[in-house]
């Protein structure tokens, strides 16, 4: 009897671990005096990112499909803003997409990547907005780890509704990369006024 209970308990533990592995890893941390929500994409989210990459969708549609964890607690006003703007996919050029709307507000989005060894890569991204008397109501940054410039193999992102001018993703560790060239494309935006920018890191080669 006891042996059967132990087997059932062990099976439940294994199933729980497998289920946890399919969820995005989400955490909160303090940055610049505000609360920042960070997230690491799970395999299902990576499949969605590759499927949607380059498609004609709004930022709101992208967030709803891929990163609903970053919309938790976000106001309807911010969500409306996101659904009114098309997703402009990172093309590697570091640029402020809406500089023509306001010369006083600028946004800089950057990514970085480090080859720790032939089996480990570290990467991340940062977004900074300047020229605003008050911090934006919502700020978001995502760093896509790309292989050979065509496939998104991993992603880490961060958001905040707590009034910060700068936000950074986790220093994400990517294990056991396949041989090839890797770089990081970054995408970030703020809401009210809506602005977005993108960037690209240097590249590394594995092994």
């Amino acid at each position: 009897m006891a042996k059967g209970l132990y087997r059932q308990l062990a099976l439940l533990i294994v199933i729980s671990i497998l289920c946890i592995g399919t969820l995005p890893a989400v955490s909160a941390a303090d940055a610049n005096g505000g609360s920042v929500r960070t997230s690491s994409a799970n395999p299902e989210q990576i499949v969605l990112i590759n499927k949607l990459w380059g498609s004609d969708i709004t930022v709101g549609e992208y967030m709803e499909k891929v990163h609903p964890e970053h919309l938790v607690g976000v106001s309807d006003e911010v969500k409306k803003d996101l659904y009114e703007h098309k997703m402009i996919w990172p093309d590697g050029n570091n640029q402020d997409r809406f500089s023509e709307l306001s010369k006083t507000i600028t946004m800089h989005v950057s990514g970085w990547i480090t080859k720790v060894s032939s089996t480990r890569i570290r990467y991340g991204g940062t977004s900074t907005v300047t020229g605003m008397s008050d911090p934006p109501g919502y700020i978001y940054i995502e760093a896509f780890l790309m292989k050979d410039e065509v496939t998104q193999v991993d992603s880490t992102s961060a958001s905040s509704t707590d009034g910060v001018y700068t936000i950074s993703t986790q220093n994400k560790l990517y294990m056991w990369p396949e041989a090839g060239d890797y770089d990081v494309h970054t995408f970030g935006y703020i809401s009210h006024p809506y602005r977005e920018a993108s960037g690209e890191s240097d590249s590394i080669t594995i092994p």
Side-chain angles (χ1 to χ4, degrees), residues 5 10 18 28 49 51 66 94 105 113 115 123 132 137 141 143 161 169 174 178 185 203:
L5 288 174
L18 290 174
I49 290 171
K51 182 179 179 180
V66 181
N94 195 336
I105 300 175
I113 187 170
K115 179 180 176 180
Y123 74 98
M132 298 181 69
I141 173 71
T161 58
T169 67
Y174 182 71
E178 297 179 356
H185 286 210
S203 63

Side-chain angles (χ1 to χ4, degrees), residues 88-116:
I88 300 179
W89 301 95
D91 59 8
N93 296 317
N94 195 336
Q95 54 183 302
D96 186 332
R97 300 287 187 175
F98 289 86
S99 59
E100 73 277 5
L101 297 183
S102 172
K103 299 298 182 182
T104 62
I105 300 175
T106 59
M107 190 171 183
H108 181 77
V109 175
S110 62
W112 61 271
I113 187 170
T114 301
K115 179 180 176 180
V116 180

Side-chain angles (χ1 to χ4, degrees), residues 64-141:
E64 180 183 347
K65 292 176 183 293
V66 181
H67 291 300
E69 70 272 17
H70 283 290
L71 295 179
V72 175
V74 173
S75 69
D76 290 339
E77 185 180 25
V78 170
K79 290 179 182 178
K80 181 176 181 293
D81 209 8
L82 301 185
Y83 277 98
E84 290 177 349
H85 293 88
K86 292 286 187 178
M87 183 76 178
I88 300 179
W89 301 95
D91 59 8
N93 296 317
N94 195 336
Q95 54 183 302
D96 186 332
R97 300 287 187 175
F98 289 86
S99 59
E100 73 277 5
L101 297 183
S102 172
K103 299 298 182 182
T104 62
I105 300 175
T106 59
M107 190 171 183
H108 181 77
V109 175
S110 62
W112 61 271
I113 187 170
T114 301
K115 179 180 176 180
V116 180
S117 69
S118 61
T119 61
R120 293 186 297 168
I121 293 172
R122 278 201 180 276
Y123 74 98
T126 297
S127 178
T128 301
V129 61
T130 59
M132 298 181 69
S133 57
D134 296 313
Y138 185 76
I139 185 169
Y140 178 80
I141 173 71

Side-chain angles (χ1 to χ4, degrees):
M1 175 75 74
K3 189 177 293 186
L5 288 174
Y6 286 136
R7 286 178 179 172
Q8 291 179 2
L9 181 60
L11 180 61
L12 286 173
I13 291 172
V14 170
I15 292 173
S16 298
I17 292 173
L18 290 174
C19 290
I20 290 171
T22 64
L23 297 173
V26 181
S27 63
D30 288 332
N32 305 309
S35 177
V36 174
R37 180 186 299 271
T38 59
S39 176
S40 296
N42 62 31
E44 287 75 16
Q45 286 172 309
I46 295 300
V47 169
L48 272 173
I49 290 171
N50 279 284
K51 182 179 179 180
L52 294 172
W53 195 268
S55 62
D56 183 21
I57 61 174
T58 66
V59 177
E61 289 172 323
Y62 171 77
M63 296 297 294
E64 180 183 347
K65 292 176 183 293
V66 181
H67 291 300
E69 70 272 17
H70 283 290
L71 295 179
V72 175
V74 173
S75 69
D76 290 339
E77 185 180 25
V78 170
K79 290 179 182 178
K80 181 176 181 293
D81 209 8
L82 301 185
Y83 277 98
E84 290 177 349
H85 293 88
K86 292 286 187 178
M87 183 76 178
I88 300 179
W89 301 95
D91 59 8
N93 296 317
N94 195 336
Q95 54 183 302
D96 186 332
R97 300 287 187 175
F98 289 86
S99 59
E100 73 277 5
L101 297 183
S102 172
K103 299 298 182 182
T104 62
I105 300 175
T106 59
M107 190 171 183
H108 181 77
V109 175
S110 62
W112 61 271
I113 187 170
T114 301
K115 179 180 176 180
V116 180
S117 69
S118 61
T119 61
R120 293 186 297 168
I121 293 172
R122 278 201 180 276
Y123 74 98
T126 297
S127 178
T128 301
V129 61
T130 59
M132 298 181 69
S133 57
D134 296 313
Y138 185 76
I139 185 169
Y140 178 80
I141 173 71
E142 184 163 5
F144 304 94
L145 179 62
M146 302 188 69
K147 179 179 182 291
D148 299 327
E149 289 281 346
V150 294
T151 304
Q152 294 73 42
V153 297
D154 205 40
S155 164
T156 179
S157 51
S159 65
S160 179
T161 58
D162 232 7
V164 295
Y165 291 98
T166 298
I167 193 171
S168 296
T169 67
Q170 302 176 64
N171 294 337
K172 182 70 185 297
L173 182 64
Y174 182 71
M175 300 290 291
W176 306 109
E178 297 179 356
D181 294 326
Y182 291 82
D183 68 350
V184 173
H185 286 210
T186 47
F187 167 74
Y189 63 83
I190 60 172
S191 178
H192 298 295
Y194 182 85
R195 304 292 293 276
E196 65 182 15
S198 65
E200 183 181 15
S201 72
D202 295 331
S203 63
I204 62 170
T205 300
I206 300 292

